[in-house]
Amino acid sequence: DVLRMRSAGLPPHHEDIGCTQYTLSRCLREENKLAEAIQLLTTCLGSFKQSLLYPQLATAVDLLSVCLMDTGRLEEAEGRFREALDIKRKCLQENHPNIAVSLH
């Protein structure tokens, strides 16, 4: 288990752990294991915030928003989509394609 090995060999909230958590969350969503994906993404957000990886943080918040939407938690999903857009606006140029995608 890659996540377990990385967690054992790296300090808590290391960016590599966050990246592994994000990738695993994507797989869990594809398997329709949404509760597990949401829980792991919530943990992943802490890693990205600690390591100041804001583009990755925005991407993880986007995926969390989609998972929340998939579970019918629409108000919470909307708030997270807005949070992701705010993060993108702070770390990317206004004409960046990722901002346009978030506005769609």
Side-chain angles (χ1 to χ4, degrees):
D1 177 44
V2 175
L3 181 57
R4 189 171 12 92
M5 291 186 318
R6 283 197 171 175
S7 296
L10 296 169
H13 300 296
H14 190 278
E15 62 190 66
D16 289 348
I17 294 172
C19 290
T20 302
Q21 291 168 328
Y22 173 79
T23 301
L24 181 56
S25 297
R26 289 183 60 191
C27 294
L28 289 168
R29 180 178 179 262
E30 290 298 318
E31 294 173 357
N32 204 33
K33 297 178 180 178
L34 298 172
E36 291 176 63
I38 290 169
Q39 181 180 5
L40 194 56
L41 281 164
T42 302
T43 304
C44 168
L45 296 180
S47 296
F48 288 150
K49 285 178 184 176
Q50 289 286 325
S51 56
L52 305 177
L53 294 173
Y54 295 117
Q56 291 88 337
L57 175 61
T59 301
V61 173
D62 268 336
L63 181 58
L64 177 58
S65 304
V66 171
C67 290
L68 291 168
M69 194 169 63
D70 290 346
T71 61
R73 296 160 61 181
L74 302 180
E75 287 182 29
E76 194 175 348
E78 179 184 359
R80 290 298 191 153
F81 277 125
R82 291 181 186 280
E83 178 184 353
L85 179 58
D86 288 343
I87 295 167
K88 289 175 188 178
R89 283 184 165 151
K90 289 176 184 172
C91 65
L92 302 172
Q93 295 179 353
E94 188 60 36
N95 61 351
H96 194 281
N98 287 351
I99 293 176
V101 169
S102 291
L103 291 171
H104 183 316

